[in-house]
């Protein structure tokens, strides 16, 4: 799953723009990830602050 | 929002505001929704803009001008500084804005012209009818309502989800997002009338560091790098902290500004049946500088005009709205986007050594006008050894 570190995220929308499947959505200061995330990790690469991480499925 | 408009604008940035203002001035019934709680905040911008570019739209107002800029300084990777003075600075001479005030003022102008404006109202899906966009479902305060419109304008900025929901691919390739962090710093030694750009793979790979004055001892200090260079330990925040430690160790940080700028080519098609896409959502920011305020306003105004014409003729099909797509592509803006994209593709291949040579060469040239095109043209003319390097660019100049 995609882990969003909310204490780090600056809700800028950069990750939203690069997600190939449009799985991210930003509402004010709250970033959410939807079911169709493929865990490709592109968003985690683009984040200016390093707030995203693709974690192994538990 | 009312249940129906002629024009519905999704997004209250500079692009959306100009689309709404232009259409309302032409007598259209206009609604604008902005999902954030306030227009213009949080800021996602370094706030630099050319003076003549803003004057194309309105009188400059001291209320939203933080600083007036007379010159630009380029700093090569080896530390060599070259100043582009007023006589040669041309269109780059400009303002550093206060975008909190600026964006709000633009939306106010749209409202004064007659547009309905609602904040904390988010488009969550288009209304599709026979394959055409016919408005949007708007969520506000926990309820979703349908707002129908003859033409809908996607002005939703870098995220650009609305066009995606309409079936148009807008995802930015990782290599073509400039990922950025900026501090608003105070208590620092700066030239309050100069914008400064630091180049080099050490300071900002495939990007640059900027220092844009906001007052005597206050400035936007930021860095943008390519998404493909961004990894743990070398993110924009890491580069910025290193830069600040070296250059402004005693400065204080009043604000963080975070964001992404698309530096890819514009969308292949910026219209569909009942839909027009503008500004960052259409990927029309400048691929070299990342500047997109003017580009958003320009495409926004054109979208408002085209929508008004299309509605007057009773035809809002993609075919009729193509006048907008053709309009910006053949404009000066469209041409410079295409050219600057190619120049960017060349610049990002340069080693620091070559960047040094470039900046040193520029400083020996007699530039009548400071523009990317002017610099590159002069380089080709003046430095025979660089000619070889730059031959990739010759056919596009
Ligand atoms: C760090 C940084 C520095 C920059 N520096 C400069 C600079 O110095 N000069 C320059 O010219 N440009 C600069 N830019 C680029 C500039 O900020 C943008 O190009 C410009 O803001 C684009 O305007 P816009 O109207 O297209 O989009 P935006 O200003 O991004 O506005 C889009 C709006 O749409 C809203 N929205 C999104 N989705 C929805 C939805 N579903 N429903 C309702 N509302 C929605 C958003 O909340 C936002 O308010 C910079 C960008 C960044 C990130
Ligand atoms: S790019 Fe990073 S900081 Fe920006 S919204 Fe996404 S997770 Fe948050
Ligand atoms: S991991 Fe990939 S698919 Fe999932 S949200 Fe991030 S970019 Fe989108």
């Amino acid at each position: 799953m995609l882990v969003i570190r909310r204490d780090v995220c600056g809700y800028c929308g950069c990750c939203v723009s690069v997600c190939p499947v449009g799985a991210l959505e930003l509402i004010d200061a709250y970033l959410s990830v939807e079911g169709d995330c493929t865990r490709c990790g592109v968003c985690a690469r683009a984040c200016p602050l390093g707030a995203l991480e693709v974690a192994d499925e538990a | 929002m009312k249940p129906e408009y002629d024009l519905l604008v999704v997004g209250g940035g500079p692009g959306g505001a100009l689309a709404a203002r232009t259409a309302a001035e032409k007598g259209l019934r206009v609604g604008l929704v902005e999902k954030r709680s306030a227009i213009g905040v949080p800021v996602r911008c370094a706030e630099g803009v050319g003076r003549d570019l803003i004057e194309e739209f309105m009188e400059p107002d001291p209320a939203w001008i933080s600083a007036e800029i007379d010159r630009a300084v380029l700093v090569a990777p080896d530390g060599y500084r070259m100043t582009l003075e007023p006589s040669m600075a041309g269109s780059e001479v400009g303002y550093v804005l206060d975008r909190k005030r600026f964006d709000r003022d633009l939306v106010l102008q749209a409202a004064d012209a007659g547009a309905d404006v609602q904040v904390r109202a988010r488009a969550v899906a288009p209304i599709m009818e026979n394959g055409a966009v016919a408005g949007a479902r708007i969520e506000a305060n926990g309820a979703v309502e349908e707002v129908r419109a003859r033409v809908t304008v996607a002005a939703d900025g870098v995220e650009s989800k609305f066009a995606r929901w309409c079936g148009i691919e807008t995802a930015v390739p990782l290599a073509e997002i400039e990922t950025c962090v900026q501090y608003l710093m105070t208590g620092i030694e700066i030239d309050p009338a100069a914008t400064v750009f630091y180049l080099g793979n050490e300071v900002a790979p495939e990007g640059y560091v900027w220092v844009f004055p906001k007052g005597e001892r206050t400035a936007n200090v930021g860095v943008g790098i390519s998404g493909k260079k961004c990894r743990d330990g070398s993110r924009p925040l890491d580069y910025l902290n290193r830069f600040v430690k070296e250059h402004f160790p005693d400065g204080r940080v009043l604000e963080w500004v975070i964001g992404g700028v698309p530096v890819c080519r514009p969308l292949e098609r910026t219209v569909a049946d009942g839909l027009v896409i503008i500004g960052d959502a259409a990927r029309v920011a400048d691929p070299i500088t990342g500047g997109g305020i003017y580009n958003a306003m320009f495409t926004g105004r054109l979208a408002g005009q085209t929508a008004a014409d299309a509605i007057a003729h009773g035809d809002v099909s993609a075919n009729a709205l193509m006048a907008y797509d053709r309009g910006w592509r053949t404009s000066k803006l469209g041409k410079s986007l295409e050219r600057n994209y190619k120049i960017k593709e060349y610049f990002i291949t340069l080693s620091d050594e070559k960047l040094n040579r470039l900046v040193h060469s520029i400083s020996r040239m007699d530039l009548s006008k400071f523009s990317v095109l002017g610099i590159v043209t002069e380089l080709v003319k003046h430095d025979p050894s660089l000619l070889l390097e730059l031959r990739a660019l010759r056919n596009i100049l």
Side-chain angles (χ1 to χ4, degrees):
Chain A
M1 59 181 267
L2 184 71
V3 178
I4 303 169
R5 294 173 63 193
R6 302 205 177 277
D7 50 341
V8 176
C9 173
Y11 38 96
C12 70
C14 183
C15 54
V16 178
S17 74
V18 295
C19 172
V21 298
L24 295 165
E25 175 76 355
L26 181 68
I27 308 176
D28 259 320
Y30 194 86
L31 179 73
S32 58
V33 56
E34 286 150 29
D36 34 7
C37 166
T38 62
R39 303 165 61 226
C40 70
V42 168
C43 56
R45 282 287 303 280
C47 175
L49 304 177
L52 299 173
E53 193 190 342
V54 179
D56 290 334
E57 216 92 311
Chain B
M1 287 288 110
K2 300 192 183 80
E4 199 184 330
Y5 289 96
D6 294 319
L7 191 81
L8 173 65
V9 181
V10 176
L18 258 289
R21 181 184 106 183
T22 307
E25 280 169 355
K26 288 184 173 290
L28 263 53
R29 297 168 302 147
V30 179
L32 180 150
V33 288
E34 165 54 54
K35 70 177 172 181
R36 298 190 198 163
S37 339
I39 301 290
V41 283
V43 174
R44 304 275 176 242
C45 190
E47 308 178 298
V49 73
R51 183 176 297 170
D52 49 340
L53 299 182
I54 286 299
E55 285 168 1
E56 191 180 316
F57 297 98
M58 58 203 181
E59 282 296 303
D61 182 343
W64 41 250
I65 294 173
S66 297
E68 297 199 23
I69 302 304
D70 291 338
R71 53 190 170 269
V73 178
L74 277 183
V75 185
D78 64 4
Y80 179 81
R81 298 166 77 91
M82 78 139 307
T83 304
L84 298 150
E85 288 291 351
S87 64
M88 56 170 91
S91 69
E92 298 302 315
V93 169
Y95 302 119
V96 178
L97 302 173
D98 177 349
R99 275 200 64 184
K100 288 172 196 158
R101 301 285 294 272
F102 180 75
D103 284 26
R104 190 185 292 216
D105 202 52
L106 287 183
V107 170
L108 199 63
Q109 287 177 18
D112 283 346
D116 285 347
V117 174
Q118 192 178 352
V119 294
R120 263 177 90 82
R122 181 173 66 107
V124 293
I127 300 172
M128 298 297 292
E129 250 163 38
N130 305 320
V133 179
R137 295 168 62 77
I138 306 296
E139 183 188 78
N141 251 329
V144 179
E145 278 176 11
E146 289 207 339
V147 177
R148 303 181 55 83
R150 296 212 255 175
V151 176
T152 305
V153 176
D156 49 344
V158 67
E159 298 164 52
S160 195
K161 295 274 306 266
F162 194 82
R164 276 205 210 201
W165 295 329
C166 300
I168 295 165
E169 178 58 84
T170 65
V172 179
L174 179 64
E176 302 201 292
I177 189 83
E178 281 293 301
T179 164
C180 311
V181 183
Q182 164 184 293
Y183 293 151
L184 171 59
M185 296 193 75
T186 191
I188 55 179
E189 293 300 323
I190 52 159
D191 176 346
T195 48
V196 188
F197 301 82
Y198 292 79
L199 306 175
N201 291 295
E202 296 290 318
V203 290
E206 298 190 16
Y208 59 87
V209 167
W210 63 85
V211 179
F212 287 4
K214 297 268 287 178
E216 289 297 314
R217 293 170 57 78
T218 307
N220 288 333
V221 181
V223 57
I225 65 170
S226 161
K228 85 168 181 265
K229 299 285 181 181
C230 185
R231 290 176 189 282
D232 282 341
S234 56
R235 295 193 183 268
L237 183 62
D238 302 307
Y239 285 100
L240 181 60
N241 285 335
R242 277 198 288 270
F243 180 87
V244 161
K245 200 170 161 196
E246 186 184 336
H247 294 264
F248 304 122
D250 303 322
R252 276 149 297 161
V253 176
L254 298 181
E255 204 170 304
W256 285 41
V257 169
I258 308 141
V261 191
V263 292
C264 51
R265 277 212 167 90
L267 298 184
E268 267 171 42
R269 210 171 141 91
T270 53
V271 296
D273 292 327
L275 177 73
V276 181
I277 312 164
I278 67 169
D280 272 15
R283 314 310 189 197
V284 295
D286 186 276
I288 294 184
T289 62
I293 302 171
Y294 170 80
N295 308 17
M297 293 168 76
F298 181 90
T299 50
R301 180 177 59 187
L302 190 60
Q305 286 164 350
T306 311
D309 288 348
I311 289 168
H313 289 95
D315 180 3
V316 296
S317 67
N319 237 346
L321 296 172
M322 269 307 276
Y324 159 79
D325 191 283
R326 279 192 301 273
W328 72 256
R329 266 184 228 277
T330 53
S331 70
K332 201 173 151 207
L333 168 72
K335 288 182 185 142
S336 80
L337 285 177
E338 182 58 23
R339 191 188 60 230
N340 286 1
Y341 182 83
K342 291 176 182 156
I343 298 177
K344 176 209 80 170
E345 289 291 278
Y346 166 73
F347 273 143
I348 59 175
T349 65
L350 295 178
S351 63
D352 280 0
E353 208 187 351
K354 282 184 191 158
L355 277 173
N356 287 331
R357 274 178 64 204
L358 273 175
V359 178
H360 288 253
S361 307
I362 296 170
S363 71
R364 287 194 301 271
M365 298 178 337
D366 177 25
L367 283 179
S368 55
K369 195 162 173 264
F370 173 40
S371 68
V372 172
L373 179 62
I375 291 177
V376 178
T377 312
E378 287 300 308
L379 276 172
V380 174
K381 264 199 270 173
H382 281 74
D383 191 333
S385 62
L386 274 168
L387 193 72
L388 246 128
E389 293 289 339
L390 292 165
R391 72 172 179 272
L393 288 177
R394 283 185 66 201
N395 50 354
I396 59 167
L397 298 174

